Amino acid sequence: MAAVGAQSADRGRQRVTTVSDDRPIADPGAEKPGEKLSLGVAARLSRYLQVLTQARKMGKATISSQELADYTHVNSTQIRRDLSGFGKFGKRGVGYNVDSLVSQIRKILRTSGQHNIALFGAGHLGTAIATSDIFADHGFRVVAVFDSDQHKVGTEIGQLEVQPTSDLRHVIDEEDIVVAVLAVPASAAQELADEIADAGVKIIFNYSDALIRVPPEVTVHTSSPAVDLLYALYFYLT
Amino acid sequence: MAAVGAQSADRGRQRVTTVSDDRPIADPGAEKPGEKLSLGVAARLSRYLQVLTQARKMGKATISSQELADYTHVNSTQIRRDLSGFGKFGKRGVGYNVDSLVSQIRKILRTSGQHNIALFGAGHLGTAIATSDIFADHGFRVVAVFDSDQHKVGTEIGQLEVQPTSDLRHVIDEEDIVVAVLAVPASAAQELADEIADAGVKIIFNYSDALIRVPPEVTVHTSSPAVDLLYALYFYLT
DNA sequence: TAGATTGTTAATCGATTAACAATC
DNA sequence: TAGATTGTTAATCGATTAACAATC
């Protein structure tokens, strides 16, 4: 798993271990819609979703747990087990319908809706992000691009006009933005993160290599492709 | 967790549990240098390395397991446990020396050396990658940039001249390249991956949203920030 | 039907964590 | 010293997987 920087968000998720709990004992294997997923299950479901989305884009109608296993490197038994906890989504002898599995998993992850994101930094990386559809494919819409460079403010990226960073508070409020993507130099990251967190954003996706401190209610996910590579390399070298 | 193609790499690492084994009983907790790390341990060590590298860059001399836990969202006990399996790297009452922990983990992951990587695609994303030091900080050096667009060939990105994709075989051979980074459109990804795999590259880091099929000896890691976001969002929404 | 693939069980193994003595 | 933090234990919990009946 790409060390997804989201071991995070583990707070308040203590599992009930004592019997003194007053709720009925959960039917094992049948996940309750109200129950929180474990970190591992949520991570794997996300991963299935990634491959399914790609597969759908390429016109694939059905996919077997074995194919999914080939692409995700998750054991096929575990995939079937993960899915069967939420319903019987597959057809024996055939596999899973790609379209319907995508929407099932989205429902489980409660991310069926659209989410607005704000992008900070209109350099090469910011431009690449704003003009690609990697976010759009998963229900995220870049609704604002900010840059602190006066020369970039007012220029267009994709279909968006670059706005001055000083306007962030207003825009975040107006557009109901929960996610911010940071494509800025490391030197600017912490100060910007402070402002963004203060403006009410809950998830910061950090592409800089700065260590960012945020209040406990905010989650930072730092992208680090080089570390993912190190991890992959380890298994190649050994 | 980053599910890089290595679920299968877990073999031969069975813990000695019965006494009927003819080898001496392993000192539990002291990992053998010849033993392969489990997927989880390797992923977490990579993650520690990421934070440590950032911390070092910011001039931090020592770090406690609790601080590391705050940044990585891995339990502090587990961090100490992971590390103590390889030696006593910390100082009680003080913490871990950042510099020395970086080199210890690199040693454990066997990625202390320099690795040459080839970048495919000289668009915005490719340019962002080539001009950043995210890879350089972890011992990866971009030694070649390729693009199939004749207009881009010959131009300079960072300190590298863009080369025609048709030269890839020669360059990969010459420069001993094991890792390829794909920053190309999805439509070009599979064909390019075929050529790259055929030229002997073992790890492909895919930034496109194409599903890529490769021979078994090659590992594909597909970056998907949107899915990482979905995952983070799940824990925010619940 | 025959072949393929799911859904599920049962057993094992590894991950996780609280707690605390050791010690800087 | 007193406070802080590591290293380690012991117990529990969840993840993993082979195997196979069910069934499309």
Side-chain angles (χ1 to χ4, degrees):
Chain A
M1 231 160 299
V4 170
Q7 229 81 1
S8 61
D10 206 5
R11 317 185 185 292
R13 208 191 51 80
Q14 293 290 0
R15 235 154 225 287
V16 177
T17 50
T18 59
V19 188
S20 60
D21 190 274
D22 51 358
R23 279 175 301 176
I25 293 176
D27 178 4
E31 320 273 343
K32 290 293 164 54
E35 298 279 322
K36 248 189 173 171
L37 305 178
S38 77
L39 291 173
V41 174
R44 289 197 300 277
L45 288 175
S46 303
R47 208 163 157 63
Y48 307 154
L49 192 57
Q50 175 198 348
V51 171
L52 289 165
T53 307
Q54 292 176 313
R56 185 172 60 171
K57 220 173 178 176
M58 297 175 77
K60 223 165 154 36
T62 64
I63 194 167
S64 70
S65 58
Q66 187 51 55
E67 283 178 282
L68 218 34
D70 289 342
Y71 284 119
T72 60
H73 306 288
V74 174
N75 182 286
S76 70
T77 301
Q78 181 156 29
I79 293 175
R80 297 198 301 277
R81 203 176 195 288
D82 281 340
L83 296 175
S84 73
F86 303 97
K88 308 201 176 188
F89 302 145
K91 198 168 268 182
R92 289 166 201 243
V94 179
Y96 299 88
N97 178 287
V98 173
D99 271 337
S100 89
L101 195 50
V102 164
S103 40
Q104 291 291 356
I105 293 179
R106 283 209 179 138
K107 222 178 285 173
I108 296 166
L109 291 175
R110 302 186 206 182
T111 47
S112 310
Q114 286 283 322
H115 302 278
N116 289 345
I117 77 183
L119 175 63
F120 293 85
H124 282 295
L125 182 56
T127 305
I129 292 169
T131 56
S132 93
D133 48 7
I134 45 167
F135 284 112
D137 280 347
H138 291 275
F140 294 103
R141 201 153 49 105
V142 177
V143 295
V145 180
F146 295 94
D147 203 295
S148 56
D149 182 348
Q150 280 303 330
H151 295 99
K152 282 183 182 150
V153 171
T155 61
E156 291 222 335
I157 289 186
Q159 268 118 62
L160 294 167
E161 190 173 309
V162 177
Q163 307 184 58
T165 308
S166 49
D167 285 1
L168 72 87
R169 196 170 298 264
H170 172 71
V171 177
I172 285 171
D173 218 52
E174 195 89 337
E175 300 271 12
D176 190 29
I177 288 169
V178 168
V179 177
V181 174
L182 261 54
V184 299
S187 56
Q190 179 66 63
E191 196 181 351
L192 185 53
D194 290 343
E195 280 190 74
I196 290 171
D198 198 52
V201 166
K202 297 303 179 197
I203 297 170
I204 296 178
F205 201 96
N206 173 34
Y207 276 104
S208 85
D209 59 357
L211 266 187
I212 296 180
R213 278 272 185 208
V214 290
E217 74 273 13
V218 179
T219 300
V220 175
H221 175 90
T222 299
S223 164
S224 55
V227 174
D228 294 348
L229 264 186
L230 280 183
Y231 176 71
L233 205 56
Y234 172 76
F235 290 102
Y236 166 65
L237 293 174
T238 51
Chain B
M1 206 172 301
V4 177
Q7 226 75 9
S8 53
D10 209 7
R11 315 188 184 292
R13 211 190 51 81
Q14 296 285 3
R15 239 158 224 286
V16 177
T17 49
T18 59
V19 189
S20 59
D21 191 277
D22 51 357
R23 279 175 301 174
I25 294 176
D27 178 3
E31 318 274 343
K32 289 295 164 55
E35 300 278 323
K36 247 187 176 172
L37 305 178
S38 77
L39 291 173
V41 174
R44 289 197 300 278
L45 288 175
S46 304
R47 211 163 154 60
Y48 307 152
L49 193 56
Q50 174 198 348
V51 171
L52 289 165
T53 308
Q54 291 176 313
R56 185 172 59 171
K57 219 172 179 176
M58 297 176 76
K60 223 167 155 32
T62 63
I63 195 167
S64 70
S65 59
Q66 187 52 55
E67 285 179 280
L68 218 33
D70 289 341
Y71 284 120
T72 59
H73 305 287
V74 174
N75 182 285
S76 69
T77 301
Q78 181 155 30
I79 294 175
R80 297 199 299 278
R81 203 176 194 289
D82 280 342
L83 296 175
S84 74
F86 304 98
K88 309 201 175 186
F89 302 145
K91 198 168 270 184
R92 289 165 201 242
V94 180
Y96 298 88
N97 178 286
V98 173
D99 271 338
S100 91
L101 195 51
V102 164
S103 41
Q104 291 291 354
I105 295 180
R106 283 208 179 139
K107 221 178 284 174
I108 295 165
L109 291 174
R110 302 186 206 182
T111 47
S112 310
Q114 286 284 322
H115 302 280
N116 289 345
I117 77 183
L119 174 64
F120 293 85
H124 282 295
L125 181 56
T127 304
I129 292 169
T131 57
S132 92
D133 48 7
I134 45 167
F135 284 113
D137 280 347
H138 289 275
F140 294 103
R141 202 154 49 106
V142 177
V143 295
V145 181
F146 295 93
D147 203 296
S148 57
D149 182 347
Q150 280 302 329
H151 296 99
K152 282 183 182 149
V153 171
T155 62
E156 291 223 334
I157 289 185
Q159 266 119 63
L160 294 166
E161 189 173 310
V162 177
Q163 305 184 60
T165 307
S166 49
D167 285 1
L168 71 86
R169 196 170 297 265
H170 172 70
V171 176
I172 285 170
D173 219 52
E174 195 89 336
E175 301 271 11
D176 191 28
I177 288 168
V178 167
V179 177
V181 174
L182 260 54
V184 300
S187 55
Q190 179 65 62
E191 196 182 350
L192 185 53
D194 290 344
E195 280 190 75
I196 290 171
D198 198 51
V201 166
K202 297 305 179 195
I203 296 171
I204 296 178
F205 200 96
N206 173 34
Y207 276 104
S208 86
D209 59 357
L211 267 187
I212 297 179
R213 278 272 184 206
V214 290
E217 74 275 12
V218 179
T219 300
V220 175
H221 176 90
T222 298
S223 164
S224 55
V227 174
D228 294 347
L229 264 186
L230 281 182
Y231 176 70
L233 205 55
Y234 171 76
F235 291 102
Y236 165 65
L237 293 174
T238 52

